[in-house]
Amino acid sequence: MIDIKDNDIIDSIKRGNVSDFTLLIDKYKNRAFSLLRRMLKDEMEAEDVLQESFIKAYYALPGFQYKSKFSTWFYRIVYNSALTKLASKKRNIEKGMSSLEEELNLTYIDTSDDDKELKVWINKMIEQLPAKYSAVINFFYNDDLSCEEIGEVMGTSVSNVKVILHRARTALKDMMIKNKSTEEIL
C-alpha cells in the first residue's frame, strides 16, 4: 500500500474528490477514538463525538491552511469536541472514587507470561485519570506528539503542557501505588 501524505489527500479533497476523506478517516479513527474513550469514559459517547469531529473536520477542511500537520489540527477538533461534551453534561471529572479496585474490577495480574496484560492494566489506570491528564498522556505516549504539538491541540503553552504531563504522570504513579495489586506487579 502506498503511503499518501495527508496534505496530498487534503489537496485532492479540496479539488472535489470528497470520497478521499475516507482515507483520513481510516488513518485517524482509531487513535482519535482511543483519546475520546479515555476522556469521556464511555464508548457510545466516544463514538458520537468521533463522528461529530470528523463532520466538523470535513466542513472546516476548505479553511485548512497547512500551518500545522493535519493530525495536530484534527486532534484539536477532537479534543475540543470532547471538552464540549464534558461541559454539556456538567460532569465532575475529578469525582471521588469509593474504591479504585471496585471501579476497575482488577485482581492480581501475573505479567510474567505476557506484558500485554500489564499494558491493559496500565491503560485501565490511565482511563481513570481526569480527562485532561489522560488526553496529554495519550497524545504524548500513544500518538507521539511533541509538547509543542500538544500545546497546539489543547490551545495552551508548551510549559503548561509540560506541567500537565508531569502532573498526569504523578497522578498515574500515585494511583498505581495505591492499588494493592500494583505492589505485586512491581
Side-chain angles (χ1 to χ4, degrees):
M1 176 181 233
I2 299 172
D3 184 29
I4 303 171
K5 302 286 184 214
D6 290 348
N7 289 350
D8 294 335
I9 296 170
I10 293 166
D11 289 340
S12 176
I13 295 167
K14 286 183 174 184
R15 287 192 305 269
N17 299 319
V18 294
S19 63
D20 286 351
F21 192 71
T22 59
L23 297 172
L24 294 174
I25 292 172
D26 290 341
K27 188 171 183 178
Y28 292 102
K29 66 182 176 187
N30 292 336
R31 287 183 176 175
F33 179 73
S34 176
L35 169 66
L36 289 168
R37 191 178 66 233
R38 286 186 177 158
M39 288 183 71
L40 300 173
K41 298 173 183 21
D42 183 297
E43 286 198 26
M44 295 297 284
E45 286 181 1
E47 288 175 7
D48 290 344
V49 174
L50 179 62
Q51 185 174 2
E52 291 170 14
S53 298
F54 275 118
I55 291 169
K56 287 178 187 177
Y58 176 78
Y59 285 110
L61 202 57
F64 180 71
Q65 299 178 3
Y66 308 94
K67 291 181 181 176
S68 61
K69 295 189 313 188
F70 173 79
S71 61
T72 303
W73 181 79
F74 177 66
Y75 286 138
R76 183 174 188 138
I77 292 172
V78 172
Y79 178 76
N80 287 334
S81 296
L83 290 181
T84 300
K85 182 69 168 182
L86 289 170
S88 71
K89 291 183 68 173
K90 296 180 182 179
R91 255 203 277 206
N92 182 3
I93 298 302
E94 297 192 49
K95 66 181 178 179
M97 293 187 296
S98 58
S99 167
L100 182 61
E101 193 169 344
E102 283 179 25
E103 286 281 323
L104 297 175
N105 194 19
L106 289 177
T107 56
Y108 172 72
I109 300 173
D110 181 7
T111 58
S112 59
D113 294 331
D114 191 359
D115 284 340
K116 184 177 180 183
E117 290 181 21
L118 178 60
K119 289 178 184 177
V120 168
W121 184 78
I122 291 171
N123 281 330
K124 286 182 180 181
M125 289 280 130
I126 292 170
E127 289 174 4
Q128 297 302 313
L129 291 172
K132 188 182 284 189
Y133 290 179
S134 64
V136 169
I137 286 186
N138 190 54
F139 285 142
F140 191 78
Y141 291 105
N142 294 339
D143 296 325
D144 296 321
L145 295 182
S146 67
C147 289
E148 291 81 13
E149 292 170 324
I150 295 170
E152 284 183 51
V153 169
M154 297 178 73
T156 191
S157 68
V158 173
S159 59
N160 193 33
V161 169
K162 290 178 181 178
V163 168
I164 295 168
L165 184 58
H166 173 74
R167 289 179 180 168
R169 288 176 182 147
T170 302
L172 181 61
K173 180 181 174 185
D174 290 346
M175 186 184 294
M176 293 172 77
I177 289 172
K178 286 179 185 176
N179 187 301
K180 65 182 177 182
S181 62
T182 304
E183 296 170 11
E184 296 171 20
I185 292 173
L186 300 175

